[in-house]
């Protein structure tokens, strides 16, 4: 008689899948790559804007919902001088672009792990380059909406643009292997998480930037920004994971296209492959096992002399 297995709750399933995805580790990598590879590239691009030379700093101020003294401190650290584009060589710009691709590759690998797809071939690197360019355009547009609209209208426009970007991004990076309708819940969850992170930043990081700037100088401000980027990486990867779990739990994933589950970790009963689970009936016995005993009532055969 086979034992019927109950499916874990949403919270338990999200925790287990996040653990397999190494969600916190990927959030740390996202923040590190964003600070040392993406930030310099965005600073150079923002400095090339003839209208405003603090685009990247403004994006951080807007994304973290800073104001007053904390916004001034952050702008002083990340606003580039006007001659930054003139002093940046061609090779320096190329290196910045190459390092930026490593950031895009990390995001692409996370989406592949979430949807359990094999890694794409190396010649698809052009997708990472296009996604990186669209990301910079997205950040630039988010900053420009600050001067066009205000209040709830700007918030709705920013959320709509963000949902479109995080809806298109996985579909493009994954080579159109996942349908549009399956990616929409993840895009909505990502933007909901970013809105929540913005509110948390307003309550926590706004006073923290000022105190850290007084106590530790510029390095204290950078540490706060790095903490915010860790939260952003957690939301970006976690939002995609929430979307996948939602589609799986609601039965929208096609069975013929659903890849096999990853092997369960040791010590987690209730999942296939876990230690302590009984073997299914009909499994083959291991080679070298015990032979069937002979019937003791069968008389031994005698040989005639």
């Amino acid at each position: 008689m086979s034992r019927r297995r109950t499916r874990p709750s949403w919270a338990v399933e999200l925790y287990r899948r996040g653990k397999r995805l190494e969600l916190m580790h990927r959030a740390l990598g996202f923040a590190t790559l964003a600070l040392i590879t993406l930030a310099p590239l965005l600073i150079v691009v923002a400095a090339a804007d003839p209208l405003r030379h603090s685009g990247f700093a403004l994006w951080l101020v807007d994304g973290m919902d800073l104001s007053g003294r904390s916004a001034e401190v952050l702008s002083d650290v990340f606003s580039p001088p006007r001659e930054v584009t003139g002093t940046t060589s061609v090779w320096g710009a190329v290196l910045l672009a190459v390092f930026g691709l490593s950031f895009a590759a990390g995001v692409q690998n996370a989406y592949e792990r979430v949807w359990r797809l094999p890694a794409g071939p190396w010649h698809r690197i052009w997708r990472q380059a296009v996604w990186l360019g669209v990301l910079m355009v997205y950040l630039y547009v988010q900053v420009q909406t600050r001067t066009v609209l205000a209040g709830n209208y700007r918030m709705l426009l920013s959320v709509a643009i963000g949902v479109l970007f995080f809806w298109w991004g996985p579909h493009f990076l994954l080579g159109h292997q996942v349908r549009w309708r399956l990616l929409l819940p993840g895009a909505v969850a990502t933007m909901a998480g970013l809105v929540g992170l913005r509110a948390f930043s307003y309550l926590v990081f706004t006073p923290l930037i000022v105190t850290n700037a007084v106590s530790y100088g510029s390095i204290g401000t950078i540490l706060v920004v790095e903490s915010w980027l860790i939260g952003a990486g957690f939301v970006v990867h976690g939002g995609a994971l929430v979307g996948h779990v939602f589609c799986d739990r609601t039965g929208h994933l096609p069975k013929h296209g659903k890849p096999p589950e990853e092997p369960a970790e040791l010590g987690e009963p209730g999942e296939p492959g876990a230690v302590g689970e009984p073997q299914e009936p009909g499994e083959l016995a291991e080679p070298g096992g015990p032979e069937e005993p002979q019937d003791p009532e069968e008389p031994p055969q005698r040989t005639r002399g």
Side-chain angles (χ1 to χ4, degrees):
M1 184 175 180
S2 60
R3 185 180 63 180
R4 186 176 182 180
R5 297 172 181 173
T6 59
R7 194 168 190 180
S9 63
W10 282 74
V12 174
E13 189 167 355
L14 276 174
Y15 170 77
R16 289 178 179 176
R17 295 195 184 187
K19 188 176 180 181
R20 292 173 187 168
L21 184 63
E22 298 178 336
L23 188 55
M24 183 55 67
H25 176 75
R26 289 185 179 274
L28 292 172
F30 178 94
T32 302
L33 289 175
L35 188 64
I36 66 177
T37 65
L38 188 62
L41 179 61
L42 291 175
I43 289 175
V44 173
V45 172
D49 183 9
L51 300 178
R52 188 181 294 271
H53 291 272
S54 56
F56 179 67
L58 266 182
W59 176 74
L60 284 177
V61 169
D62 183 66
M64 300 177 69
D65 198 15
L66 305 178
S67 60
R69 177 58 181 165
S70 58
E72 295 177 1
V73 170
L74 189 63
S75 299
D76 293 340
V77 174
F78 287 98
S79 294
R82 293 183 178 271
E83 61 273 7
V84 65
T85 55
T87 57
T88 303
S89 62
V90 176
W91 284 108
V94 171
L95 288 177
L96 286 176
V98 171
F99 292 151
L101 289 178
S102 63
F103 174 80
V107 176
Q108 181 184 22
N109 178 259
Y111 285 147
E112 291 170 347
R113 288 287 304 275
V114 166
W115 290 96
R116 301 169 186 171
L117 297 174
W122 66 269
H123 57 77
R124 286 187 181 177
I125 194 174
W126 67 272
R127 292 185 179 273
Q128 302 170 9
V130 173
W131 180 86
L132 185 63
V134 175
L135 173 64
M136 289 185 289
V137 173
Y138 162 70
L139 298 178
Y140 182 81
V141 170
Q142 289 282 40
V143 171
Q144 295 304 316
T145 57
R146 185 170 183 160
T147 60
V148 178
L149 297 174
N152 296 331
Y153 294 101
R154 179 180 179 269
M155 178 64 68
L156 292 176
L157 179 61
S158 299
V159 170
I161 296 175
V163 169
L164 290 177
F165 174 76
F166 288 107
W167 191 14
W168 166 85
H171 187 264
F172 183 77
L173 287 175
L174 297 177
H176 312 287
Q177 299 182 73
V178 184
R179 297 178 181 178
W180 285 104
R181 63 182 179 87
L182 299 179
L183 295 172
L184 182 57
V188 175
T190 301
M191 281 310 301
L194 289 178
V195 171
L197 179 63
R198 191 172 187 266
F200 176 83
S201 175
Y202 174 77
L203 297 175
V204 177
F205 291 150
T206 298
L208 192 61
I209 284 182
V210 178
T211 56
N212 278 20
V214 174
S215 302
Y216 307 105
S218 299
I219 189 64
T221 304
I222 294 176
L223 288 176
V224 175
V225 173
E226 181 73 3
S227 301
W228 180 81
L229 288 173
I230 292 174
F234 191 90
V235 169
V236 169
H237 297 149
L241 187 62
V242 169
H244 183 270
V245 172
F246 175 82
C247 294
D248 189 13
R249 301 278 298 204
T250 55
H252 289 88
L253 291 180
K255 294 183 179 181
H256 63 274
K258 184 178 177 181
E261 293 277 350
E262 297 180 6
E265 297 182 0
L266 299 180
E268 292 186 1
E271 294 188 67
V275 174
E277 289 295 319
Q279 293 183 349
E280 296 293 335
E283 291 184 347
L284 296 178
E286 298 182 358
E291 298 180 354
E292 295 183 359
Q294 297 182 353
D295 190 358
E297 298 181 358
E298 181 179 355
Q301 298 180 357
R302 297 181 181 181
T303 57
R304 298 180 178 178

